[in-house]
Amino acid sequence: MSQQNNDSEERRRLSENVDEIVDEVNKTVRTAIVKGVDVAENIGENIRDTIQGMKGSRENVVMVRIDRESLDRLDDLVEAGIMGSRSEAAAFLIAEGIKARQGLFDRIGEKIGEIRRAKEELRRMVDGDEEGPHGNDQ
């Protein structure tokens, strides 16, 4: 009978331990769900704000050829209801790509500025030297 009592007591303790583990898992899952919902809502708001900002400022048309995978990603955004059209999806992804590589575009802008200054300097040299190397037409 003592063995039965020991077995019974051990089952009871195991059952309590399992119940405690299940309660902890439930709490953790609930917390993760709440945090996940908050994060998802924030992402949704950020995307919505970005899209609204883009819709107001889209006035230029660009035609591009893209591969099948890129087209599928545009269609995913449209099908999910995140974007209203392929055009909106493409504009969104282009804007996000530029933001993601802003440092590169800043450096490119600096170099373009240097190139423009060099071209202007060359134009001034040519315009000031129209009479030839000795000051008169040859």
Side-chain angles (χ1 to χ4, degrees):
M1 193 98 145
S2 174
Q3 183 62 30
Q4 276 185 333
N5 286 343
N6 285 342
D7 289 347
S8 178
E9 181 65 25
E10 190 169 324
R11 282 190 204 121
R12 187 187 59 75
R13 274 187 274 141
L14 284 173
S15 178
E16 286 174 1
N17 288 340
V18 168
D19 288 344
E20 287 176 20
I21 292 170
V22 168
D23 287 344
E24 285 299 315
V25 168
N26 283 336
K27 287 177 190 175
T28 303
V29 168
R30 280 190 215 105
T31 301
I33 289 171
V34 169
K35 288 181 181 178
V37 168
D38 290 343
V39 169
E41 287 174 355
N42 287 337
I43 291 171
E45 289 173 15
N46 289 341
I47 290 173
R48 195 174 307 113
D49 291 345
T50 301
I51 292 168
Q52 292 304 322
M54 285 181 359
K55 283 183 178 178
S57 63
R58 286 183 28 202
E59 56 194 42
N60 300 303
V61 176
V62 176
M63 293 184 64
V64 297
R65 293 185 182 276
I66 58 176
D67 61 25
R68 185 72 217 172
E69 183 179 348
S70 297
L71 183 63
D72 289 343
R73 297 301 71 86
L74 295 178
D75 288 341
D76 289 345
L77 291 171
V78 174
E79 188 174 334
I82 296 170
M83 302 290 166
S85 68
R86 285 177 172 174
S87 177
E88 283 180 18
F92 169 75
L93 292 175
I94 289 169
E96 290 301 304
I98 291 169
K99 282 184 202 173
R101 300 299 306 264
Q102 190 58 53
L104 172 64
F105 283 102
D106 290 344
R107 291 193 309 274
I108 290 171
E110 291 171 9
K111 293 298 179 188
I112 289 172
E114 291 175 21
I115 292 167
R116 287 178 180 154
R117 287 187 291 278
K119 285 181 178 179
E120 184 56 36
E121 182 180 338
L122 289 171
R123 276 191 213 100
R124 283 194 307 270
M125 285 173 49
V126 169
D127 289 346
D129 198 28
E130 287 178 339
E131 297 175 358
H134 303 296
N136 57 17
D137 285 333
Q138 293 184 358

